[in-house]
Amino acid sequence: MIQFEGEHLLPGQLGHLFVIIAMVSSLMASLAFFLSNRTSQPEEKSSWFNIGKYSFIVHAISLFSIFGIIFYICFHHYYEYMYAYKHASKELEYKYLLACIWEGQEGSFLLWTIWHSVLGLIILNSRNIAIKETWRTPLMSVISFAQFLLLLMILGVYFFGVRIGNSPFTLTRNEIPAPIFSQPNYLSFLKDGMGLNVLLRNYWMVIHPPVLFLGFASTIVPFAFAIAGLQTKRFTEWVKPALPWTLFSICILGVGIMMGGKWAYESLSFGGYWAWDPVENASLVPWLILVAGVHTLLIYQSTGRSLRAAFLFSILGFVFVLYSTFLTRTGILGDTSVHAFT
């Protein structure tokens, strides 16, 4: 067995551990919140809720730990990790070392889950009585389960020969089949990483993706309200508390899209907003659906009509975010969009 020289394996091992902890705790939280919502016994309800709450807190801490470890690896230029080798380089400023985390698929999925966890913590600690007393557990059950599914995308393990997700802690020597990686001192030949794409070395890369992904993540709250309304058979009560969250999602996602448009005019040399680009359209469609959804929520509040449409648009907003993610992450748009993750 080859003893490789100079590798820093502990950060990656800790990162893998925190990914597993985050997955297990999110699944446990989802189940606990679901059972808390199902039972009518106050003591049992409180017990399950506390299990779900502390599981979700552990989940959130794990996600921030994963993010911190990836930044640590990129900041110290540990090119034994494929993620650092692909996205970091020694000439990058600190802000771009941070931005290179969400240049890749794994980091952007992680950013998405972190925003979900922030929104979940806000709901858990909300002083709004409507959320605190009646909606908190069904909402958190949906959000926690969505977290479990998203974390599969950065798990990076094999089941029956099929890899589930891509881990940001994969070693370079395990990903690139080259003779150099069979040498114990291969790290001495890796003088620098590939670095951030030159077009992405812009302050918009630092601020645009976090805002856009907050917009994507926020669509889960109207979705969770609609699912909770169906699950608890409170078919009309969810409309009022869902309305401000839908407006928030529209505002944040809209700002994120406008940031992308401004970036295109300013630095990407494509002659303006990428109206022809399917990835841009994939982010715009959920926003249009949410705008339709907020109108149907307001119509229902005023007239008592369009409830079914309100359910439909609130659910479709998040579903189309998932669909657009599928289009941009699988390579389907690789030949038609330079903006896709290919």
Side-chain angles (χ1 to χ4, degrees), residues 224-273:
F225 267 112
I227 295 298
L230 293 172
Q231 178 187 339
T232 60
K233 299 189 185 329
R234 288 178 285 175
F235 300 117
T236 62
E237 297 173 31
W238 69 279
V239 171
K240 183 176 180 180
L243 182 58
W245 285 97
T246 308
L247 288 169
F248 171 78
S249 186
I250 289 170
C251 290
I252 297 298
L253 185 54
V255 168
I257 293 171
M258 286 189 288
M259 281 182 168
K262 175 62 177 174
W263 185 5
Y265 276 100
E266 180 176 311
S267 105
L268 292 182
S269 69
F270 282 91
Y273 183 69

Side-chain angles (χ1 to χ4, degrees), residues 21 81 123 143 171 311:
I21 292 174
Y81 293 98
I123 291 172
I143 293 173
L171 295 175
F311 270 110

Side-chain angles (χ1 to χ4, degrees), residues 3-320:
Q3 296 294 325
F4 294 100
E5 301 172 3
E7 288 187 332
H8 303 82
L9 299 182
L10 182 59
Q13 293 168 350
L14 287 175
H16 279 298
L17 177 62
F18 279 119
V19 170
I20 294 172
I21 292 174
M23 287 192 63
V24 173
S25 58
S26 64
L27 189 60
M28 184 180 298
S30 180
L31 179 61
F33 286 128
F34 176 78
L35 293 174
S36 176
N37 187 58
R38 296 282 291 181
T39 184
S40 58
Q41 300 297 324
E43 291 185 2
E44 188 177 354
K45 180 182 288 288
S46 177
S47 177
W48 281 119
F49 175 79
N50 287 330
I51 292 174
K53 177 180 179 180
Y54 291 117
S55 296
F56 194 84
I57 291 173
V58 169
H59 166 76
I61 292 172
S62 298
L63 291 177
F64 280 100
S65 299
I66 296 166
F67 187 90
I69 291 171
I70 295 176
F71 180 73
Y72 178 83
I73 288 172
C74 293
F75 180 81
H76 287 87
H77 309 292
Y78 290 162
Y79 297 134
E80 55 265 45
Y81 293 98
M82 188 66 181
Y83 204 80
Y85 178 70
K86 286 176 62 177
H87 303 293
S89 59
K90 294 178 180 178
E91 83 277 10
L92 289 181
E93 300 175 40
Y94 292 157
K95 61 183 179 182
Y96 296 137
L97 284 174
L98 179 66
C100 76
I101 296 176
W102 46 76
E103 183 192 21
Q105 288 204 41
E106 301 90 331
S108 57
F109 271 118
L110 178 62
L111 182 62
W112 190 356
T113 59
I114 285 175
W115 280 130
H116 272 176
S117 69
V118 170
L119 294 172
L121 292 173
I122 291 172
I123 291 172
L124 275 177
N125 295 280
S126 174
R127 295 182 180 180
N128 186 311
I129 295 177
I131 294 179
K132 183 177 180 180
E133 299 298 334
T134 61
W135 292 107
R136 197 160 52 175
T137 50
L139 288 179
M140 292 306 300
S141 178
V142 173
I143 293 173
S144 299
F145 188 68
Q147 290 288 82
F148 171 76
L149 296 178
L150 284 174
L151 280 167
L152 289 173
M153 299 298 101
I154 63 171
L155 183 58
V157 298
Y158 284 87
F159 286 99
F160 302 104
V162 178
R163 186 164 70 176
I164 307 298
N166 294 310
S167 172
F169 305 108
T170 301
L171 295 175
T172 307
R173 57 180 163 86
N174 292 333
E175 292 295 308
I176 301 178
I180 185 177
F181 296 107
S182 63
Q183 301 184 39
N185 62 336
Y186 76 90
L187 281 174
S188 63
F189 300 100
L190 297 182
K191 302 300 182 182
D192 203 359
M194 297 170 64
L196 198 64
N197 186 299
V198 175
L199 288 177
L200 300 180
R201 297 181 189 186
N202 183 279
Y203 68 92
W204 286 112
M205 182 60 183
V206 182
I207 59 176
H208 163 59
V211 174
L212 187 67
F213 275 96
L214 175 57
F216 286 157
S218 66
T219 62
I220 198 174
V221 183
F223 170 82
F225 267 112
I227 295 298
L230 293 172
Q231 178 187 339
T232 60
K233 299 189 185 329
R234 288 178 285 175
F235 300 117
T236 62
E237 297 173 31
W238 69 279
V239 171
K240 183 176 180 180
L243 182 58
W245 285 97
T246 308
L247 288 169
F248 171 78
S249 186
I250 289 170
C251 290
I252 297 298
L253 185 54
V255 168
I257 293 171
M258 286 189 288
M259 281 182 168
K262 175 62 177 174
W263 185 5
Y265 276 100
E266 180 176 311
S267 105
L268 292 182
S269 69
F270 282 91
Y273 183 69
W274 302 3
W276 49 267
D277 188 90
V279 172
E280 296 293 349
N281 292 330
S283 65
L284 181 62
V285 169
W287 184 84
L288 293 174
I289 292 173
L290 287 171
V291 170
V294 80
H295 280 79
T296 56
L297 292 172
L298 290 170
I299 290 171
Y300 177 77
Q301 281 197 321
S302 299
T303 67
R305 298 178 181 178
S306 298
L307 181 60
R308 291 181 180 177
F311 270 110
L312 178 64
F313 289 128
S314 297
I315 292 173
L316 284 182
F318 182 65
V319 169
F320 269 80

